[in-house]
Amino acid sequence: MTDGKRRRGLAAASALLGGVLVLSACTGGGEDDSAGGDETSQTTVDKAAAEKASEAQIKITPKDGSANASINNSAAVTVSKGTLTEVTMATVDGTEVSGEISADKTSWKPSGQLERSTTYKVTATAQDSEGRAAHENASFTTVSPANSFIGTFTPDDGTTVGVGMPVSINFDKEITNKADVQKGVTVTSSSGQEVACHWFSTQRMDCRPEDYWQAGSTVTLKLALDGVEGAEGVYGVQQKTVSFTIGRNQVSYVDAKTKQMKVTRDGKTVKTIPISAGSPENKTYEGQMVISEKFKETRMNGATVGFTDDDGEGEYDIKDVPHAMRLSTSGTFIHGNYWGAKSIFGNANTSHGCVGLADTKGADDPNTPGSWFYENSMVGDVVVVQNTGDRTIAPDNGLNGWNMDWAQWKAGSAL
């Protein structure tokens, strides 16, 4: 072999041997580890990657990236094939949300209601039966006020009210899917009375039985509106149950012709009080009216209800009307009157449409008819006004749906 051929042969052998060495090093097959730091590190990584992962499977709801999430029940963390060891939830600005892991350590939920239009981040850690950890993270944004609706209801939870008090719900958005919303509202009574709901508008729904509530019964309102679409892209956020008690049965009858009011309990007259109703020029509405508010003293300005003089000022402005109880949204009250002559009560109708009872300035004399009626009345009591010569009050003017017969009332249901 010539020198040139020998050199080419050695070069080829060296290249082949070099290739073998490279392949050997890549598989970690060297015998001497003393100079193989990279080999030891790679072996450790390989072993770690080969270990079996945790079997714990964490689920966070709502799913990562969700928008328009519920402020009630959407946030939750659950785990299968393991137990939760830590869950944290906070707003994007770092405000932490309190919550609690269940006794069996398989679920977690926030302690209270979330805020609307808020982004939350959830971080969860769990371990399986062998103690191996699993991790999960998610973020979501709750429904905005613009994309949600709430219903303001009366009466309040835990109150005691008169037999005429309906459940009245006023929504802060127009409801076009009335049937879906009504399905989410349930009103029941311990008396077993049938209850029907009536839509007065796209934003108001009242519920009542055919006749007044039975005295002593308990009425329960359940709102299951969370996630209910009230209008396109507008969802409910309420989920709660409230109840109120019906007090004694008190119905008072105002007769504008005799100018007397009979106060009855369970159908029996307990007191007769002289009154002064609306004058012939300003007659009082007729019909069944429910006391919706009580004020020991209040201001009454004629300008607020359309009674103005030539200068646009109110025909009256009394800043301390005693023992006033509202009967309509439009301004009908039954109240004490200290400015009128005592002789008008029982003898003349002189008011601008309210029902007046003799009283004293300051609302501090317990012996006046106005004080007696105030102290013996509650929100929800019924005042029936008769023989005024005026029209019957509109059912939606105050809490006065009793002025609609049962067939008409039920016809206003969306179901």
Side-chain angles (χ1 to χ4, degrees), residues 155 161-167 187-196 207-220 244-249 380 382 402:
V161 296
V163 296
M165 174 60 74
V167 171
V187 181
T188 57
S189 172
S190 62
S191 66
Q193 292 173 274
E194 177 190 359
V195 180
C207 306
R208 67 167 178 89
E210 181 175 5
D211 300 311
Y212 301 144
W213 301 105
Q214 289 187 15
S217 58
T218 298
V219 180
T220 300
F244 57 94
T245 302
I246 306 301
R248 75 286 178 275
N249 183 322
V382 181
W402 303 104

Side-chain angles (χ1 to χ4, degrees), residues 257-277:
K257 186 174 182 180
T258 64
K259 304 169 186 66
Q260 303 288 325
M261 176 173 67
K262 292 192 304 182
V263 182
T264 70
R265 295 263 178 93
D266 298 318
K268 298 179 180 179
T269 301
V270 296
K271 196 174 186 66
T272 300
I273 301 174
I275 60 94
S276 179

Side-chain angles (χ1 to χ4, degrees), residues 92-401:
V92 289
D93 64 5
T95 302
E96 291 192 7
V97 176
S98 62
E100 187 175 354
I101 295 176
S102 63
D104 61 4
K105 298 184 179 181
T106 61
S107 64
W108 176 95
K109 63 180 180 179
S111 300
Q113 191 179 65
L114 305 182
E115 299 293 331
R116 288 189 284 183
S117 288
T118 303
T119 298
Y120 293 92
K121 293 185 176 182
V122 182
T123 300
T125 302
Q127 65 180 17
D128 63 11
S129 59
E130 296 184 22
R132 293 170 297 195
H135 307 275
E136 194 71 47
N137 298 275
S139 65
F140 61 90
T141 303
T142 52
V143 65
S144 69
N147 294 104
S148 62
F149 71 88
I150 61 172
T152 303
F153 55 86
T154 189
D156 293 332
D157 187 32
T159 55
T160 298
V161 296
V163 296
M165 174 60 74
V167 171
S168 184
I169 306 173
N170 287 274
F171 298 101
D172 65 347
K173 301 284 196 308
E174 290 195 8
I175 303 300
T176 56
N177 299 330
K178 291 181 178 179
D180 289 343
V181 171
Q182 189 172 333
K183 288 176 184 176
V185 178
T186 305
V187 181
T188 57
S189 172
S190 62
S191 66
Q193 292 173 274
E194 177 190 359
V195 180
C197 296
H198 180 97
W199 288 87
F200 283 119
S201 68
T202 56
Q203 290 185 249
R204 177 179 172 185
M205 183 179 73
D206 285 15
C207 306
R208 67 167 178 89
E210 181 175 5
D211 300 311
Y212 301 144
W213 301 105
Q214 289 187 15
S217 58
T218 298
V219 180
T220 300
L221 164 65
K222 292 184 179 181
L223 297 174
L225 296 174
D226 187 43
V228 174
E229 190 171 25
E232 186 175 358
V234 180
Y235 299 89
V237 295
Q238 289 169 296
Q239 183 163 308
K240 61 174 57 181
T241 299
V242 300
S243 62
F244 57 94
T245 302
I246 306 301
R248 75 286 178 275
N249 183 322
Q250 178 169 303
V251 180
S252 301
Y253 297 86
V254 172
D255 189 329
K257 186 174 182 180
T258 64
K259 304 169 186 66
Q260 303 288 325
M261 176 173 67
K262 292 192 304 182
V263 182
T264 70
R265 295 263 178 93
D266 298 318
K268 298 179 180 179
T269 301
V270 296
K271 196 174 186 66
T272 300
I273 301 174
I275 60 94
S276 179
S279 68
E281 298 77 25
N282 302 297
K283 299 180 179 72
T284 306
Y285 286 127
E286 293 188 357
Q288 303 169 73
M289 306 184 203
V290 174
I291 296 174
S292 59
E293 292 181 289
K294 293 179 65 180
F295 306 97
K296 188 172 182 180
E297 290 183 282
T298 192
R299 178 186 180 186
M300 291 188 179
N301 186 342
T304 63
V305 288
F307 290 109
T308 57
D309 57 24
D310 294 338
D311 297 324
E313 299 294 329
E315 292 184 12
Y316 58 88
D317 188 1
I318 305 169
K319 297 179 174 61
D320 56 355
V321 177
H323 301 123
M325 289 167 279
R326 182 182 291 278
L327 299 178
S328 77
T329 305
S330 62
T332 307
F333 281 78
I334 184 166
H335 62 76
N337 178 331
Y338 67 80
W339 54 91
K342 295 296 186 284
S343 60
I344 67 171
F345 302 103
N347 294 297
N349 292 322
T350 61
S351 81
H352 284 78
C354 291
V355 176
L357 313 176
D359 213 328
T360 56
K361 185 179 178 67
D364 54 3
D365 184 351
N367 299 312
T368 65
S371 178
W372 184 93
F373 189 65
Y374 181 89
E375 295 298 335
N376 286 275
S377 296
M378 64 175 60
V379 169
D381 281 350
V382 181
V383 178
V384 182
V385 181
Q386 303 167 318
N387 300 321
T388 69
D390 201 10
R391 66 184 183 275
T392 300
I393 192 167
D396 61 346
N397 187 358
L399 303 176
N400 299 324

